[in-house]
Each structure stands twice: as structure tokens, then as C-alpha cells.
Amino acid sequence: MSTTSPRKTVASSSFSVWANKHRKWIFAGPSMAFVAILIVFPIGWTIFLSLTNSRGSVRAPLDFIGLENYLTVLTDTERFWPAVGRTVFFTGGALIAELVLGMAIALLLWRPFKGQGLVRVAILLPLVATPVAVGMMWRLIFEPNIGFANQMLGWFGIPAQPWLSGQNTALPTLMFVDIWQWTPMVVLILLAGLSSLSDEPDEAARVDGANSWQRFWYVTLPLIRMTVITAVLIRGIDALKTFDILYATKGKGGGSFHEVETLNVYAYGLSFDYNKYGLSSTVLILFFMMIVLCVWALTARKKKGDS
Amino acid sequence: MSSLTVTKNVAATDAAPQMRKRSKTGRGYRIFRVLALVFVIVMFIAPLVWMVLASLKTNVDIYDSSKTFLFDPTLENYGTVFGRANYLGYIFNSFWIGFASTALSLLLGVPAAYAMSRFTMHKSAVVVLLARVIPGVSLLVPWYFVFSQLKMVGGFGVLILSHMFVALPLIVYIMMSFFDSLPIELEEAAQVDGLTPIGAFLRITLPLSTPGIATAGILSFIFSWNNFMFALVLSGSKTKTLPVAIFDFVAYASIDWGGLMAAAVVITVPIMVISLFMQKYVVSGLTAGATKG
């Protein structure tokens, strides 16, 4: 194929030798540089901003105020700590429900049967649906006067609920939406884990007379423990960072009583709705530390399980 | 050797050999199972059907509980969405940003994932994957400062860049687990036959990676299409994407439910159709690396 002149061959081959020798960094370098530029600088900036009283404009003079923001945030029992509480409640609640439901559905789908394809399609649809559009869809369904949710309750003689507009019901309702959208993700991950299992341990337990619950609890579950932790990790991180559905359905400040204001919504609002960049950076640093701590704890567990 | 393991990630449950167990399960369990599965299907599909139905109703019919299922369908709401609200333009924006950010991320991410997989550069991989863990807002604030200084906010460039930031870690993660499962012997054989390492990557590994690249590409496109936060801050009137456009629908005036549902259908249907046709790729992408821990 190559009928190049000898000279060119020599030139390109010396480059080629160099390139092949350093291919590791030629391949990986650009990606790492891209991510590093878009990450390292912003993190540094966020840390810096968290020590100032920045209120927006780039040219406006910044006052360096040390750890004052941290003191303000950590003693703020009106917005910050409730937001932490809601974040933990939302993430924990959604995660547990998604794991339990996801495991149940995965076990239903595990063994092959007629119509398996249809169920798979059904669970794939929520997963790829655009979260903001999903938020709007549930907003109509949960509309107190015209929504289908209350209409359905009416069939059973149950009084109408305020759902998204209620101060105490909004967050659980949105938790339900999160569960609707993301349980399928857990199902898919767990199914992948289940399908990688061999049949023998289950058969052996069956021969020993274990009932199906015992076989699940003592045989299957321990075998897919790593997969379960992976699911917790993937879904947990995303649930902690939930923004789209919360902000799209309840708007600025997470509703008039901040009823769905999680840390992410709070930090976003401080930055882009109220221009309190210094304070928002502080919240973000604390939030980020919280996430890293959770991830670290889970991966440490995972490593321990590997060995 | 086992070159067939290449596709082992894809829909592995289809190969389950447990048919013989059927006889052992009781009749009661089978009935329970059918009911449970029907319930699962209804739970996950009914709200979407509801959205489509509402998009075909007039606003008068939406407020009428006797017209829940029986009504005269109308395309009026779609007329609003495409006529008054310029959704064709938003579809183009979403598509172009998704396509460009996916293509560029594949260009950067596939070789990176290859190097990280073959040279087990786990520490380097962590740097890229860190992007997945950081809350988007903490990056948005500094980005917004810098990009508005560069007069880039509101342009396509900044949106493509920000969506690449979501896509790249995803692609690296998926492709790493794909390359891990691709036997190295094929490349070694090619090198024995006289190809350079880079040549072997380009001529042997890359063509064999088409399923993995399809998986990573489709998933990256879906994530870009669905992205809300970055586009909310960084898009302008000319570069508005679909999720931001639908948010505008409720931000002002009273809610036009029919129009809103039509807009929601317009956003979700294209991505669902793509996902249904590419089902096995979407599933294998979402579960990439899930089992090896």
C-alpha cells in the first residue's frame, strides 16, 4: 500500500517510533488535560471564593473574609441544615426504595419467560426519559384539582392530597418520582450481576432443602454483594446531586417554604438566583466533602470485599 | 482463543440456561409473577401514556374529569409547540450540541480509555472519573465567570464544551470496561505481523470496538439531550436546548397544560425511539462495569 519516497519513510518512521513509544500519554493526555482544565481550576476557584464575600461581578472588589462563610453556613439552621436534612432524607429514602423494589423486579425478571422483552422495554423508558419533561408530566398527574392522582384516590373514596403543593408532601412526592425514574437503573445493574452467577450454589442449597427465601438471603445475595454496592454507589451519587426534577417542578428556592431545597438546589440558588457566590462556594465545598466521604466509605468497603 | 467474549456485556441474561427450573415452580407463584409483572409494566408505562393523552386534549378537556380517557384528540397543542414556541429550532440545538459533544468526546475518550485499560493507569482514570462525582454547580460558577469574560456564554461552543465534560467520563468508563474484556492477543498477533502498536490499535482494536463505541456514543448523546443544569445557565436565546425551553413554558404566565405536555412529548419521544432501536447498547452501557466490581 505504501509507495512513499524513502526520505519520507525515514522521517515518518522516526516520528512513528517516538509516537509508539509514548502512546500511553499521547492517548490519555488530551482527555486528562481537558478534564483537568475544566476541573482543577474551578475547584481552586471555588475554594478561593468560599473565603470571600463575592456577590457576582468579576470586576467587583472581593473582600477576603477568611472562614466567616463557613461559620455562617455551619450555624445556619434556617436554610443550610434543613437542606442537609432534606438531602439525606431524599437520597436515603429514594436509595432504599430503589434497592428493595429494584431487587424484587430483578428477581422477577431473572429467569427467562415469555414477554420478557416487553418488560425490559417498559423499564427502559423511564430511564431514558428527559428528567425535566418527566417532572412536568408528574406535575400534571399530581395537580391537586385536575391531576390523575387525586382522581384515582377519588375512586377509592380517599380525600384529595396536595402532593407537590403541600409543604410536607412535596419532597416525598418528588422522591416517588425519583423512584419511578431510577428504579429501572438498579434493576438493570442487579440483573447484570444475577446473570453472571452460575447455577451450582443455588442448586446445592436447594438439594440441602433451603426454601427460596433462604436461598436468596444466604446464597444469591452474598454472591452479588459487589453488584449491590456498585448500584448503591452509582445511584447514591446521582441521587445526592438530584437537581433537574426538584428545580423544574418547584422552581427557585425549592418552593415558597423551601420544602424541596436540597443542598444542590440551595447552592444553585445562591449562585444563580441570588448572586451570593461566596456563600454558595462554601456550601459546595461542604457538599463536595460530604460526597467524597460517602464514596470513600463505600469503595473502602468494596475493596475489603474484593480481597 | 476466546475472542467471542467481546460481546459478553451485551444482554447476558438472554443466554440463561435455567428453563428446566420451570417445572419446579408452583402454579401459585406463576400467577403471582404474571400479576406482579403486569403491575410493573403499568407502573412504568402508564404515566407516559398519560402524558401523551394529555398532549392530545384541549385545555378544556384536560380540566374535565369525565374526559379522562374518551375525548376528541386534537393536534392543536403540537401546533402551539412548533408554531408559536419554535421547537424545531430547539430540537436542532439539542441535536447539534448532543452530536458535537459526543463526537468530540469519543475522539478524546476512546484512545484515553484504551491507554488506561491496557496500561492499567488507574490513578489517571480516577482523575477523569472524578468529573462524575463533583456536583455540577461547583463547576458552573467558575465556568460562568470565565466564559462570560470570553463572551462565549450563549454560544454553541460553551454548551458543547460543558456537555463534553459530562460525556467524557462516561465514555472513558464504558470504553475502559469494554477494552478490559477485549483480548490483547489480537493486537499482539497484529504486531507480530508487522504493525506498530498504534497501527494495531487503529486497524485491529478500533474496528473490533464498534459495539462499545456505539454503546458509549448513544449513552453520551442521551445524557447531553437530557442535560438541564448546564444548559440552563450557559445557553442563550439562540442556543436554547429542549429541557430549558420546556422550563420556560411554566416560568411565565399561567400553565398551558396541553402545550406543556406536547412539549414534553416532543422532548422525550426522539430519545425513546433511539433507545428502543438501540436497546442492547443502551442497556450494556448503563450496566458497564457493574458486575466486575
Short mmCIF file of all heavy atoms in Angstrom, two decimals, chain B residues 29-91:
data_model
loop_
_atom_site.label_atom_id
_atom_site.label_comp_id
_atom_site.label_asym_id
_atom_site.label_seq_id
_atom_site.Cartn_x
_atom_site.Cartn_y
_atom_site.Cartn_z
N TYR B 29 -47.15 -19.46 42.36
CA TYR B 29 -46.07 -18.50 42.13
C TYR B 29 -46.16 -17.92 40.74
O TYR B 29 -45.96 -16.74 40.53
CB TYR B 29 -44.71 -19.16 42.34
CG TYR B 29 -43.59 -18.23 41.96
CD1 TYR B 29 -43.25 -17.16 42.78
CD2 TYR B 29 -42.89 -18.38 40.76
CE1 TYR B 29 -42.25 -16.27 42.44
CE2 TYR B 29 -41.90 -17.50 40.39
CZ TYR B 29 -41.58 -16.45 41.23
OH TYR B 29 -40.60 -15.56 40.88
N ARG B 30 -46.51 -18.81 39.76
CA ARG B 30 -46.56 -18.32 38.38
C ARG B 30 -47.64 -17.25 38.21
O ARG B 30 -47.44 -16.25 37.55
CB ARG B 30 -46.76 -19.47 37.41
CG ARG B 30 -45.43 -19.92 36.83
CD ARG B 30 -45.61 -21.09 35.90
NE ARG B 30 -46.03 -22.27 36.63
CZ ARG B 30 -46.54 -23.36 36.05
NH1 ARG B 30 -46.72 -23.38 34.76
NH2 ARG B 30 -46.87 -24.40 36.77
N ILE B 31 -48.80 -17.47 38.86
CA ILE B 31 -49.87 -16.48 38.76
C ILE B 31 -49.45 -15.17 39.43
O ILE B 31 -49.58 -14.09 38.85
CB ILE B 31 -51.17 -17.02 39.43
CG1 ILE B 31 -51.69 -18.18 38.60
CG2 ILE B 31 -52.22 -15.92 39.55
CD1 ILE B 31 -52.83 -18.93 39.24
N PHE B 32 -48.83 -15.29 40.61
CA PHE B 32 -48.34 -14.11 41.31
C PHE B 32 -47.36 -13.34 40.42
O PHE B 32 -47.41 -12.13 40.31
CB PHE B 32 -47.65 -14.53 42.61
CG PHE B 32 -46.72 -13.49 43.15
CD1 PHE B 32 -47.24 -12.38 43.83
CD2 PHE B 32 -45.35 -13.59 42.98
CE1 PHE B 32 -46.39 -11.41 44.31
CE2 PHE B 32 -44.50 -12.62 43.47
CZ PHE B 32 -45.03 -11.53 44.12
N ARG B 33 -46.52 -14.11 39.77
CA ARG B 33 -45.49 -13.49 38.96
C ARG B 33 -46.07 -12.73 37.77
O ARG B 33 -45.66 -11.61 37.48
CB ARG B 33 -44.56 -14.60 38.48
CG ARG B 33 -43.49 -14.13 37.56
CD ARG B 33 -42.67 -15.35 37.18
NE ARG B 33 -41.75 -14.96 36.16
CZ ARG B 33 -40.54 -15.48 36.05
NH1 ARG B 33 -40.15 -16.42 36.88
NH2 ARG B 33 -39.74 -15.08 35.11
N VAL B 34 -47.06 -13.32 37.12
CA VAL B 34 -47.70 -12.64 35.99
C VAL B 34 -48.34 -11.33 36.46
O VAL B 34 -48.14 -10.27 35.86
CB VAL B 34 -48.76 -13.54 35.32
CG1 VAL B 34 -49.61 -12.73 34.35
CG2 VAL B 34 -48.09 -14.69 34.60
N LEU B 35 -49.08 -11.42 37.60
CA LEU B 35 -49.72 -10.21 38.13
C LEU B 35 -48.68 -9.14 38.46
O LEU B 35 -48.83 -7.97 38.13
CB LEU B 35 -50.55 -10.55 39.37
CG LEU B 35 -51.82 -11.35 39.12
CD1 LEU B 35 -52.51 -11.68 40.44
CD2 LEU B 35 -52.76 -10.56 38.20
N ALA B 36 -47.60 -9.59 39.11
CA ALA B 36 -46.56 -8.63 39.50
C ALA B 36 -45.94 -7.98 38.27
O ALA B 36 -45.71 -6.77 38.26
CB ALA B 36 -45.48 -9.35 40.32
N LEU B 37 -45.72 -8.76 37.24
CA LEU B 37 -45.09 -8.20 36.04
C LEU B 37 -46.02 -7.22 35.33
O LEU B 37 -45.58 -6.16 34.87
CB LEU B 37 -44.70 -9.33 35.08
CG LEU B 37 -43.48 -10.13 35.53
CD1 LEU B 37 -43.29 -11.36 34.66
CD2 LEU B 37 -42.23 -9.27 35.51
N VAL B 38 -47.31 -7.54 35.29
CA VAL B 38 -48.27 -6.61 34.70
C VAL B 38 -48.26 -5.30 35.48
O VAL B 38 -48.23 -4.21 34.91
CB VAL B 38 -49.69 -7.22 34.68
CG1 VAL B 38 -50.74 -6.16 34.32
CG2 VAL B 38 -49.75 -8.37 33.68
N PHE B 39 -48.23 -5.43 36.82
CA PHE B 39 -48.19 -4.24 37.66
C PHE B 39 -46.94 -3.40 37.35
O PHE B 39 -47.01 -2.17 37.22
CB PHE B 39 -48.21 -4.66 39.14
CG PHE B 39 -48.19 -3.50 40.09
CD1 PHE B 39 -49.34 -2.73 40.27
CD2 PHE B 39 -47.04 -3.17 40.78
CE1 PHE B 39 -49.33 -1.65 41.13
CE2 PHE B 39 -47.02 -2.09 41.65
CZ PHE B 39 -48.17 -1.33 41.83
N VAL B 40 -45.81 -4.07 37.22
CA VAL B 40 -44.56 -3.36 36.91
C VAL B 40 -44.68 -2.61 35.59
O VAL B 40 -44.34 -1.42 35.49
CB VAL B 40 -43.38 -4.36 36.86
CG1 VAL B 40 -42.14 -3.70 36.26
CG2 VAL B 40 -43.08 -4.88 38.25
N ILE B 41 -45.19 -3.29 34.57
CA ILE B 41 -45.32 -2.64 33.26
C ILE B 41 -46.23 -1.41 33.35
O ILE B 41 -45.88 -0.33 32.88
CB ILE B 41 -45.88 -3.63 32.21
CG1 ILE B 41 -44.87 -4.74 31.97
CG2 ILE B 41 -46.20 -2.91 30.91
CD1 ILE B 41 -45.34 -5.79 30.98
N VAL B 42 -47.39 -1.58 34.01
CA VAL B 42 -48.33 -0.48 34.12
C VAL B 42 -47.70 0.70 34.87
O VAL B 42 -47.77 1.85 34.44
CB VAL B 42 -49.64 -0.93 34.82
CG1 VAL B 42 -50.52 0.27 35.14
CG2 VAL B 42 -50.39 -1.90 33.92
N MET B 43 -47.04 0.39 35.98
CA MET B 43 -46.41 1.45 36.78
C MET B 43 -45.43 2.28 35.96
O MET B 43 -45.36 3.50 36.08
CB MET B 43 -45.65 0.84 37.96
CG MET B 43 -46.42 0.73 39.26
SD MET B 43 -47.33 2.21 39.66
CE MET B 43 -46.02 3.33 40.11
N PHE B 44 -44.65 1.61 35.14
CA PHE B 44 -43.60 2.35 34.43
C PHE B 44 -44.08 2.98 33.13
O PHE B 44 -43.51 3.96 32.68
CB PHE B 44 -42.38 1.44 34.17
CG PHE B 44 -41.58 1.19 35.42
CD1 PHE B 44 -41.37 -0.09 35.89
CD2 PHE B 44 -41.05 2.25 36.13
CE1 PHE B 44 -40.64 -0.31 37.05
CE2 PHE B 44 -40.33 2.04 37.29
CZ PHE B 44 -40.13 0.76 37.75
N ILE B 45 -45.14 2.44 32.54
CA ILE B 45 -45.57 2.99 31.26
C ILE B 45 -46.75 3.96 31.38
O ILE B 45 -46.82 4.95 30.66
CB ILE B 45 -45.91 1.86 30.26
CG1 ILE B 45 -44.60 1.21 29.82
CG2 ILE B 45 -46.64 2.40 29.05
CD1 ILE B 45 -44.76 0.23 28.70
N ALA B 46 -47.67 3.69 32.35
CA ALA B 46 -48.91 4.48 32.43
C ALA B 46 -48.68 6.00 32.48
O ALA B 46 -49.35 6.73 31.76
CB ALA B 46 -49.73 4.02 33.63
N PRO B 47 -47.74 6.50 33.31
CA PRO B 47 -47.57 7.96 33.34
C PRO B 47 -47.20 8.53 31.98
O PRO B 47 -47.64 9.62 31.62
CB PRO B 47 -46.42 8.15 34.33
CG PRO B 47 -46.42 6.93 35.17
CD PRO B 47 -46.85 5.82 34.27
N LEU B 48 -46.41 7.76 31.22
CA LEU B 48 -46.01 8.24 29.89
C LEU B 48 -47.22 8.27 28.95
O LEU B 48 -47.38 9.22 28.17
CB LEU B 48 -44.91 7.34 29.32
CG LEU B 48 -43.60 7.38 30.11
CD1 LEU B 48 -42.71 6.20 29.77
CD2 LEU B 48 -42.86 8.69 29.85
N VAL B 49 -48.06 7.24 29.06
CA VAL B 49 -49.28 7.23 28.25
C VAL B 49 -50.14 8.43 28.62
O VAL B 49 -50.71 9.11 27.76
CB VAL B 49 -50.07 5.91 28.49
CG1 VAL B 49 -51.41 5.96 27.78
CG2 VAL B 49 -49.26 4.72 28.00
N TRP B 50 -50.22 8.70 29.92
CA TRP B 50 -50.99 9.83 30.42
C TRP B 50 -50.50 11.15 29.81
O TRP B 50 -51.28 12.00 29.38
CB TRP B 50 -50.89 9.87 31.94
CG TRP B 50 -51.78 10.91 32.54
CD1 TRP B 50 -51.38 12.08 33.11
CD2 TRP B 50 -53.19 10.88 32.60
NE1 TRP B 50 -52.47 12.78 33.53
CE2 TRP B 50 -53.60 12.07 33.23
CE3 TRP B 50 -54.16 9.97 32.18
CZ2 TRP B 50 -54.93 12.37 33.45
CZ3 TRP B 50 -55.48 10.27 32.39
CH2 TRP B 50 -55.86 11.47 33.02
N MET B 51 -49.20 11.29 29.74
CA MET B 51 -48.59 12.49 29.15
C MET B 51 -49.01 12.63 27.69
O MET B 51 -49.41 13.71 27.25
CB MET B 51 -47.08 12.38 29.29
CG MET B 51 -46.27 13.42 28.56
SD MET B 51 -44.51 13.27 28.97
CE MET B 51 -43.99 12.03 27.79
N VAL B 52 -48.94 11.52 26.94
CA VAL B 52 -49.31 11.56 25.53
C VAL B 52 -50.79 11.90 25.37
O VAL B 52 -51.16 12.75 24.55
CB VAL B 52 -48.98 10.21 24.83
CG1 VAL B 52 -49.47 10.23 23.39
CG2 VAL B 52 -47.50 9.93 24.90
N LEU B 53 -51.66 11.28 26.19
CA LEU B 53 -53.09 11.57 26.12
C LEU B 53 -53.36 13.05 26.36
O LEU B 53 -54.09 13.70 25.61
CB LEU B 53 -53.86 10.73 27.16
CG LEU B 53 -54.04 9.24 26.86
CD1 LEU B 53 -54.84 8.58 27.97
CD2 LEU B 53 -54.71 9.03 25.51
N ALA B 54 -52.74 13.59 27.42
CA ALA B 54 -52.99 14.99 27.75
C ALA B 54 -52.51 15.91 26.63
O ALA B 54 -53.11 16.96 26.38
CB ALA B 54 -52.29 15.36 29.06
N SER B 55 -51.45 15.50 25.94
CA SER B 55 -50.93 16.36 24.87
C SER B 55 -51.91 16.41 23.70
O SER B 55 -51.82 17.29 22.86
CB SER B 55 -49.56 15.86 24.40
OG SER B 55 -49.71 14.73 23.56
N LEU B 56 -52.84 15.44 23.63
CA LEU B 56 -53.80 15.40 22.52
C LEU B 56 -55.15 16.00 22.91
O LEU B 56 -56.09 15.94 22.13
CB LEU B 56 -53.99 13.95 22.07
CG LEU B 56 -52.75 13.25 21.49
CD1 LEU B 56 -52.99 11.77 21.32
CD2 LEU B 56 -52.35 13.88 20.16
N LYS B 57 -55.24 16.55 24.14
CA LYS B 57 -56.50 17.12 24.59
C LYS B 57 -56.45 18.64 24.51
O LYS B 57 -55.37 19.24 24.62
CB LYS B 57 -56.76 16.75 26.06
CG LYS B 57 -57.08 15.29 26.30
CD LYS B 57 -57.27 15.09 27.81
CE LYS B 57 -57.33 13.61 28.15
NZ LYS B 57 -57.33 13.39 29.60
N THR B 58 -57.62 19.25 24.39
CA THR B 58 -57.68 20.70 24.55
C THR B 58 -57.59 20.99 26.04
O THR B 58 -57.83 20.11 26.87
CB THR B 58 -59.00 21.27 24.02
OG1 THR B 58 -60.06 20.70 24.80
CG2 THR B 58 -59.22 20.93 22.56
N ASN B 59 -57.26 22.23 26.39
CA ASN B 59 -57.15 22.57 27.80
C ASN B 59 -58.49 22.43 28.53
O ASN B 59 -58.54 22.16 29.71
CB ASN B 59 -56.58 23.97 27.97
CG ASN B 59 -55.06 23.93 27.99
OD1 ASN B 59 -54.47 23.09 28.67
ND2 ASN B 59 -54.42 24.80 27.21
N VAL B 60 -59.58 22.60 27.78
CA VAL B 60 -60.91 22.41 28.38
C VAL B 60 -61.08 20.95 28.78
O VAL B 60 -61.53 20.63 29.88
CB VAL B 60 -62.01 22.84 27.39
CG1 VAL B 60 -63.39 22.61 28.00
CG2 VAL B 60 -61.83 24.30 26.99
N ASP B 61 -60.70 20.05 27.88
CA ASP B 61 -60.83 18.62 28.16
C ASP B 61 -59.93 18.16 29.30
O ASP B 61 -60.28 17.25 30.06
CB ASP B 61 -60.53 17.80 26.90
CG ASP B 61 -61.70 17.85 25.91
OD1 ASP B 61 -62.74 18.43 26.28
OD2 ASP B 61 -61.55 17.32 24.79
N ILE B 62 -58.76 18.77 29.41
CA ILE B 62 -57.85 18.39 30.50
C ILE B 62 -58.50 18.67 31.86
O ILE B 62 -58.33 17.91 32.81
CB ILE B 62 -56.49 19.13 30.37
CG1 ILE B 62 -55.71 18.56 29.18
CG2 ILE B 62 -55.66 19.00 31.64
CD1 ILE B 62 -54.39 19.22 28.92
N TYR B 63 -59.29 19.75 31.91
CA TYR B 63 -59.94 20.10 33.18
C TYR B 63 -61.22 19.32 33.44
O TYR B 63 -61.84 19.48 34.46
CB TYR B 63 -60.23 21.61 33.22
CG TYR B 63 -59.04 22.42 33.63
CD1 TYR B 63 -58.11 22.87 32.70
CD2 TYR B 63 -58.81 22.70 34.99
CE1 TYR B 63 -57.00 23.59 33.09
CE2 TYR B 63 -57.70 23.42 35.38
CZ TYR B 63 -56.79 23.86 34.43
OH TYR B 63 -55.70 24.56 34.82
N ASP B 64 -61.61 18.48 32.49
CA ASP B 64 -62.87 17.75 32.59
C ASP B 64 -62.62 16.29 32.94
O ASP B 64 -62.11 15.52 32.12
CB ASP B 64 -63.62 17.86 31.25
CG ASP B 64 -65.02 17.29 31.33
OD1 ASP B 64 -65.30 16.54 32.29
OD2 ASP B 64 -65.82 17.59 30.43
N SER B 65 -62.96 15.89 34.18
CA SER B 65 -62.60 14.54 34.62
C SER B 65 -63.43 13.46 33.93
O SER B 65 -63.08 12.29 33.97
CB SER B 65 -62.72 14.42 36.14
OG SER B 65 -64.07 14.57 36.50
N SER B 66 -64.53 13.85 33.26
CA SER B 66 -65.30 12.84 32.53
C SER B 66 -64.63 12.52 31.20
O SER B 66 -64.97 11.56 30.53
CB SER B 66 -66.73 13.33 32.30
OG SER B 66 -66.72 14.36 31.33
N LYS B 67 -63.65 13.33 30.81
CA LYS B 67 -62.95 13.11 29.53
C LYS B 67 -61.55 12.52 29.76
O LYS B 67 -60.64 12.77 29.00
CB LYS B 67 -62.83 14.44 28.79
CG LYS B 67 -64.17 15.11 28.49
CD LYS B 67 -64.36 15.27 26.98
CE LYS B 67 -65.76 15.74 26.63
NZ LYS B 67 -65.85 17.20 26.50
N THR B 68 -61.41 11.76 30.86
CA THR B 68 -60.09 11.22 31.17
C THR B 68 -59.54 10.36 30.03
O THR B 68 -58.42 10.53 29.58
CB THR B 68 -60.16 10.41 32.46
OG1 THR B 68 -60.53 11.27 33.51
CG2 THR B 68 -58.80 9.80 32.78
N PHE B 69 -60.38 9.42 29.59
CA PHE B 69 -59.89 8.51 28.54
C PHE B 69 -60.59 8.72 27.20
O PHE B 69 -60.02 8.43 26.17
CB PHE B 69 -60.04 7.06 28.99
CG PHE B 69 -59.20 6.74 30.20
CD1 PHE B 69 -59.79 6.51 31.43
CD2 PHE B 69 -57.82 6.69 30.10
CE1 PHE B 69 -59.02 6.24 32.55
CE2 PHE B 69 -57.04 6.42 31.22
CZ PHE B 69 -57.64 6.19 32.44
N LEU B 70 -61.85 9.20 27.24
CA LEU B 70 -62.59 9.40 26.00
C LEU B 70 -62.67 10.88 25.68
O LEU B 70 -63.24 11.66 26.45
CB LEU B 70 -64.00 8.82 26.12
CG LEU B 70 -64.05 7.30 26.27
CD1 LEU B 70 -65.45 6.84 26.62
CD2 LEU B 70 -63.55 6.62 25.01
N PHE B 71 -62.09 11.26 24.55
CA PHE B 71 -62.11 12.68 24.18
C PHE B 71 -61.81 12.76 22.68
O PHE B 71 -61.38 11.78 22.07
CB PHE B 71 -61.07 13.45 24.98
CG PHE B 71 -59.67 12.92 24.81
CD1 PHE B 71 -58.83 13.46 23.84
CD2 PHE B 71 -59.21 11.86 25.59
CE1 PHE B 71 -57.55 12.97 23.67
CE2 PHE B 71 -57.92 11.37 25.41
CZ PHE B 71 -57.10 11.93 24.45
N ASP B 72 -62.06 13.92 22.10
CA ASP B 72 -61.71 14.10 20.68
C ASP B 72 -60.27 14.56 20.59
O ASP B 72 -59.95 15.68 20.99
CB ASP B 72 -62.62 15.18 20.06
CG ASP B 72 -64.06 14.71 19.98
OD1 ASP B 72 -64.25 13.50 19.77
OD2 ASP B 72 -64.96 15.54 20.13
N PRO B 73 -59.40 13.70 20.08
CA PRO B 73 -57.99 14.10 20.02
C PRO B 73 -57.78 15.27 19.07
O PRO B 73 -58.45 15.37 18.04
CB PRO B 73 -57.28 12.85 19.51
CG PRO B 73 -58.32 11.92 19.04
CD PRO B 73 -59.63 12.34 19.57
N THR B 74 -56.86 16.13 19.47
CA THR B 74 -56.54 17.29 18.62
C THR B 74 -55.03 17.51 18.59
O THR B 74 -54.34 17.19 19.56
CB THR B 74 -57.21 18.56 19.17
OG1 THR B 74 -56.63 19.69 18.52
CG2 THR B 74 -57.02 18.70 20.66
N LEU B 75 -54.54 18.01 17.50
CA LEU B 75 -53.10 18.29 17.40
C LEU B 75 -52.80 19.76 17.68
O LEU B 75 -51.68 20.22 17.49
CB LEU B 75 -52.58 17.90 16.02
CG LEU B 75 -52.53 16.39 15.74
CD1 LEU B 75 -52.09 16.12 14.32
CD2 LEU B 75 -51.60 15.68 16.72
N GLU B 76 -53.81 20.46 18.16
CA GLU B 76 -53.69 21.89 18.45
C GLU B 76 -52.44 22.23 19.28
O GLU B 76 -51.69 23.15 18.97
CB GLU B 76 -54.94 22.27 19.23
CG GLU B 76 -55.22 23.74 19.37
CD GLU B 76 -56.41 23.92 20.31
OE1 GLU B 76 -57.51 23.42 20.00
OE2 GLU B 76 -56.21 24.51 21.38
N ASN B 77 -52.20 21.40 20.35
CA ASN B 77 -51.06 21.68 21.23
C ASN B 77 -49.73 21.57 20.49
O ASN B 77 -48.80 22.31 20.76
CB ASN B 77 -51.06 20.72 22.40
CG ASN B 77 -52.28 20.90 23.26
OD1 ASN B 77 -52.69 22.03 23.53
ND2 ASN B 77 -52.90 19.79 23.66
N TYR B 78 -49.67 20.62 19.58
CA TYR B 78 -48.43 20.49 18.80
C TYR B 78 -48.25 21.68 17.88
O TYR B 78 -47.13 22.10 17.61
CB TYR B 78 -48.41 19.16 18.04
CG TYR B 78 -48.28 17.99 18.98
CD1 TYR B 78 -49.39 17.35 19.51
CD2 TYR B 78 -47.02 17.57 19.39
CE1 TYR B 78 -49.27 16.31 20.42
CE2 TYR B 78 -46.88 16.54 20.29
CZ TYR B 78 -48.01 15.91 20.80
OH TYR B 78 -47.86 14.91 21.70
N GLY B 79 -49.39 22.22 17.42
CA GLY B 79 -49.33 23.45 16.63
C GLY B 79 -48.71 24.58 17.45
O GLY B 79 -47.84 25.30 16.97
N THR B 80 -49.13 24.69 18.72
CA THR B 80 -48.56 25.71 19.60
C THR B 80 -47.05 25.52 19.74
O THR B 80 -46.27 26.46 19.61
CB THR B 80 -49.18 25.60 21.01
OG1 THR B 80 -50.59 25.53 20.87
CG2 THR B 80 -48.77 26.76 21.88
N VAL B 81 -46.66 24.27 20.02
CA VAL B 81 -45.26 23.99 20.30
C VAL B 81 -44.37 24.29 19.09
O VAL B 81 -43.31 24.88 19.22
CB VAL B 81 -45.11 22.52 20.75
CG1 VAL B 81 -43.68 22.07 20.67
CG2 VAL B 81 -45.64 22.36 22.15
N PHE B 82 -44.83 23.89 17.92
CA PHE B 82 -43.98 24.09 16.75
C PHE B 82 -44.19 25.45 16.10
O PHE B 82 -43.29 26.00 15.50
CB PHE B 82 -44.21 22.98 15.71
CG PHE B 82 -43.59 21.68 16.11
CD1 PHE B 82 -44.37 20.61 16.49
CD2 PHE B 82 -42.21 21.55 16.14
CE1 PHE B 82 -43.80 19.41 16.87
CE2 PHE B 82 -41.63 20.37 16.52
CZ PHE B 82 -42.41 19.30 16.89
N GLY B 83 -45.39 25.99 16.23
CA GLY B 83 -45.65 27.27 15.62
C GLY B 83 -45.18 28.42 16.49
O GLY B 83 -44.20 29.09 16.20
N ARG B 84 -45.85 28.60 17.63
CA ARG B 84 -45.55 29.75 18.47
C ARG B 84 -44.21 29.63 19.17
O ARG B 84 -43.47 30.59 19.31
CB ARG B 84 -46.68 29.90 19.50
CG ARG B 84 -47.14 31.32 19.64
CD ARG B 84 -48.56 31.48 20.20
NE ARG B 84 -49.09 30.46 21.07
CZ ARG B 84 -48.94 30.44 22.39
NH1 ARG B 84 -48.25 31.38 22.98
NH2 ARG B 84 -49.51 29.50 23.11
N ALA B 85 -43.87 28.42 19.62
CA ALA B 85 -42.72 28.29 20.50
C ALA B 85 -41.43 27.85 19.79
O ALA B 85 -40.42 27.64 20.44
CB ALA B 85 -43.05 27.32 21.63
N ASN B 86 -41.43 27.70 18.50
CA ASN B 86 -40.19 27.42 17.77
C ASN B 86 -39.44 26.18 18.24
O ASN B 86 -38.23 26.19 18.42
CB ASN B 86 -39.26 28.63 17.82
CG ASN B 86 -38.01 28.43 16.98
OD1 ASN B 86 -38.06 27.70 15.98
ND2 ASN B 86 -36.91 29.04 17.37
N TYR B 87 -40.16 25.09 18.49
CA TYR B 87 -39.46 23.90 18.97
C TYR B 87 -38.57 23.26 17.93
O TYR B 87 -37.64 22.53 18.29
CB TYR B 87 -40.46 22.88 19.55
CG TYR B 87 -40.59 23.07 21.04
CD1 TYR B 87 -41.07 24.26 21.55
CD2 TYR B 87 -40.17 22.08 21.92
CE1 TYR B 87 -41.15 24.46 22.91
CE2 TYR B 87 -40.24 22.28 23.28
CZ TYR B 87 -40.73 23.47 23.77
OH TYR B 87 -40.79 23.66 25.12
N LEU B 88 -38.84 23.52 16.64
CA LEU B 88 -37.93 22.97 15.62
C LEU B 88 -36.52 23.49 15.84
O LEU B 88 -35.55 22.73 15.76
CB LEU B 88 -38.42 23.36 14.22
CG LEU B 88 -39.45 22.44 13.58
CD1 LEU B 88 -39.80 22.94 12.19
CD2 LEU B 88 -38.92 21.01 13.51
N GLY B 89 -36.43 24.77 16.16
CA GLY B 89 -35.12 25.35 16.44
C GLY B 89 -34.47 24.71 17.66
O GLY B 89 -33.28 24.39 17.64
N TYR B 90 -35.25 24.48 18.72
CA TYR B 90 -34.69 23.88 19.94
C TYR B 90 -34.26 22.43 19.69
O TYR B 90 -33.25 21.97 20.23
CB TYR B 90 -35.70 23.91 21.08
CG TYR B 90 -36.22 25.30 21.40
CD1 TYR B 90 -37.54 25.51 21.77
CD2 TYR B 90 -35.37 26.41 21.34
CE1 TYR B 90 -38.01 26.77 22.07
CE2 TYR B 90 -35.84 27.67 21.62
CZ TYR B 90 -37.16 27.85 21.99
OH TYR B 90 -37.62 29.10 22.28
N ILE B 91 -35.05 21.73 18.85
CA ILE B 91 -34.66 20.35 18.52
C ILE B 91 -33.32 20.37 17.81
O ILE B 91 -32.42 19.59 18.13
CB ILE B 91 -35.73 19.68 17.62
CG1 ILE B 91 -37.02 19.44 18.42
CG2 ILE B 91 -35.22 18.36 17.06
CD1 ILE B 91 -38.15 18.87 17.59
#
